[in-house]
Amino acid sequence: MAEQLRLRLEEVTHEKEQLRAVLEGMVEGVLVVDTKGTVLLANHRLREFYGASADIAGRPLLDSIRDAELDAIVARASQTDEVITHELTVEGARPRILSVYAARFPSGGARRVGTVAVFHDVTELMRLENVRRDFVANASHELRTPLAAIRGFAETLLGNGGLAEADRRAYLEVIDRHAERLGNIVSDLLELSKIESRKSRLAPQALDAGDVARELVQDWEPRIREHGIRVAVHCEGESGVWADRQALEQVLSNLLDNALKYSEADAEVEIRVKGADGRVCIQVRDTGIGIPSEDLARIFERFYRVDKARSRALGGTGLGLSIVKHLVQRMDGTVRVESELGAGSTFSVELPASPGS
Ligand code: ADP
């Protein structure tokens, strides 16, 4: 009998330890409170959410986690057999949005032991939802502006039969410009959605980043000359990258396009290719207008522009850098920017080196 008892005890201890390991390893927070509101269990994740100490068990809930809203949810769940769901915001160094499911147990007629609550961190989900909502609002706004201009001028043309030829021509030119703008926005949006939905397959191959940069500069020679800007390409170390040709060309085109757009005449642009330790860094450096430090973190966002009017006047859509970011990420690379207002900007794209280089 003693042996049986020992085995049973071992089994119970083992099960308890297993349960504790599962609870402590969960990505969800778990809180168990008895009928008097005393904490019976709070797993590691829950303590992390609320910055609570490890010895929270055995203390009143409101004493250890000072959140009246959570206390009210637990109290409500203890009054009903239904599962209470609620969204909570936890302030602190890293504010979070938690989705809480609370239910008393055991449910039904049995004598109640307490309430269990499970917490999911939905902060990232909410952020993405906001990004999506902002994107729809921004895209509609961006499309509405040229559309309104086109309609306005078309109506004027239709309603004024006796317009002078010069005015007619000027109005048609405005319509043409805005129609082109609409076209640019729609094609950039389609490009972005194609990259994001991963419909377009990238075909990475061994390429010489220096050659790609030099070819690009050659193709752009007339535009570069028109801007009165000098562009130089410098290579250092191995410049063999593992990248999709079209994607790499598009990334460099967008960066070079910006370097030209946001520089005054007589400025200098340098494309520097440097390979080391299995990576190749391609930098596009300009001596242009620069980017204010408070905008740096946001310029890769869709439609984000430091100076909307200047970007529009130059035919920008605010989508060029988003396309760069997404293409680079799909090629297992990274992109970052350093800039000083009035002194210039440097965009650095880092890509995997081609095998064997
Ligand atoms: P846009 O079509 O407006 O150029 P991008 O996504 O390419 O859109 O760039 C976003 C914004 O970042 C630009 O509107 C501009 O304010 C800023 N920017 C990008 N590149 C540069 C640069 N080389 N120098 C200064 N500002 C830049």
Side-chain angles (χ1 to χ4, degrees):
M1 203 160 111
E3 179 59 12
Q4 264 179 4
L5 212 61
R6 194 186 60 79
L7 282 175
R8 184 80 195 106
L9 208 68
E10 252 175 35
E11 220 172 272
V12 170
T13 317
H14 180 68
E15 272 172 17
K16 215 174 137 185
E17 266 163 21
Q18 230 172 13
L19 186 65
R20 184 210 289 279
V22 169
L23 280 167
E24 289 302 304
M26 275 170 80
V27 286
E28 289 88 8
V30 178
L31 173 73
V32 184
V33 178
D34 72 6
T35 45
K36 294 194 187 70
T38 307
V39 176
L40 294 178
L41 183 150
N43 74 345
H44 174 261
R45 187 74 168 144
L46 182 101
R47 299 194 304 270
E48 190 186 88
F49 285 155
Y50 283 96
S53 58
D55 59 357
I56 138 173
R59 288 163 47 190
L61 176 62
L62 205 53
D63 263 16
S64 30
I65 298 174
R66 298 184 172 278
D67 188 332
E69 217 181 336
L70 172 61
D71 204 53
I73 293 167
V74 172
R76 250 178 67 209
S78 72
Q79 310 286 323
T80 165
D81 271 337
E82 276 164 34
V83 178
I84 305 286
T85 55
H86 199 83
E87 233 149 60
L88 275 176
T89 308
V90 183
E91 306 296 343
R94 268 186 63 197
R96 293 180 207 251
I97 305 170
L98 303 177
S99 172
V100 188
Y101 294 80
R104 68 182 184 185
F105 70 95
S107 59
R111 206 173 74 82
R112 259 184 336 104
V113 179
T115 304
V116 58
V118 179
F119 300 67
H120 300 265
D121 187 348
V122 290
T123 319
E124 183 58 15
L125 218 67
M126 288 294 176
R127 192 188 67 80
L128 289 175
E129 180 59 21
N130 281 342
V131 167
R132 194 193 60 80
R133 211 175 299 139
D134 284 357
F135 171 68
V136 174
N138 284 339
S140 319
H141 180 76
E142 294 290 334
L143 295 172
R144 214 166 38 203
T145 317
L147 264 180
I150 291 172
R151 280 201 65 186
F153 283 97
E155 275 168 17
T156 314
L157 280 170
L158 285 171
N160 282 299
L163 271 178
E165 181 54 29
D167 287 341
R168 258 174 52 84
R169 197 175 165 77
Y171 292 175
L172 283 170
E173 271 169 10
V174 177
I175 291 179
D176 186 46
R177 210 171 53 240
H178 283 286
E180 189 186 336
R181 208 179 128 57
L182 268 184
N184 286 345
I185 297 175
V186 171
S187 64
D188 274 2
L189 279 174
L190 282 176
E191 177 73 29
L192 250 186
S193 109
K194 222 164 61 184
I195 302 167
E196 279 191 324
S197 66
R198 301 186 169 246
K199 265 193 206 126
S200 61
R201 283 206 161 274
L202 295 194
Q205 55 174 313
L207 295 170
D208 188 300
D211 287 349
V212 176
R214 274 186 288 265
E215 279 163 26
L216 182 73
V217 173
Q218 226 167 34
D219 292 348
W220 282 44
E221 193 56 45
R223 252 200 82 187
I224 293 171
R225 210 164 336 110
E226 184 190 313
H227 275 83
I229 290 171
R230 286 184 301 282
V231 181
V233 179
H234 293 292
C235 292
E236 203 182 313
E238 289 291 341
S239 49
V241 274
W242 188 246
D244 177 274
R245 176 179 282 277
Q246 222 183 338
L248 181 60
E249 279 172 0
Q250 167 114 53
V251 165
L252 294 184
S253 290
N254 288 10
L255 294 179
L256 182 59
D257 182 43
N258 282 349
L260 298 181
K261 277 195 307 200
Y262 303 108
S263 293
E264 311 295 347
D266 214 30
E268 279 172 27
V269 173
E270 184 190 26
I271 304 180
R272 185 180 280 270
V273 180
K274 193 175 163 189
D277 305 326
R279 306 288 280 178
V280 175
C281 180
I282 309 167
Q283 288 188 325
V284 179
R285 184 196 309 249
D286 64 62
T287 54
I289 61 171
I291 302 161
S293 55
E294 64 268 24
D295 294 304
L296 276 179
R298 302 199 56 192
I299 56 165
F300 290 97
E301 288 175 21
R302 289 176 278 202
F303 294 120
Y304 192 84
R305 282 165 294 189
V306 178
D307 180 347
K308 274 195 185 237
R310 179 173 179 138
S311 157
R312 277 204 194 116
L314 295 164
T317 59
L319 295 170
L321 287 181
S322 309
I323 293 176
V324 167
K325 191 178 97 182
H326 282 97
L327 282 177
V328 169
Q329 280 175 350
R330 282 202 55 192
M331 292 190 287
D332 293 328
T334 55
V335 57
R336 63 196 160 79
V337 57
E338 285 154 278
S339 185
E340 197 182 322
L341 201 58
S345 314
T346 303
F347 286 84
S348 307
V349 172
E350 220 180 79
L351 291 169
S354 58
S357 69

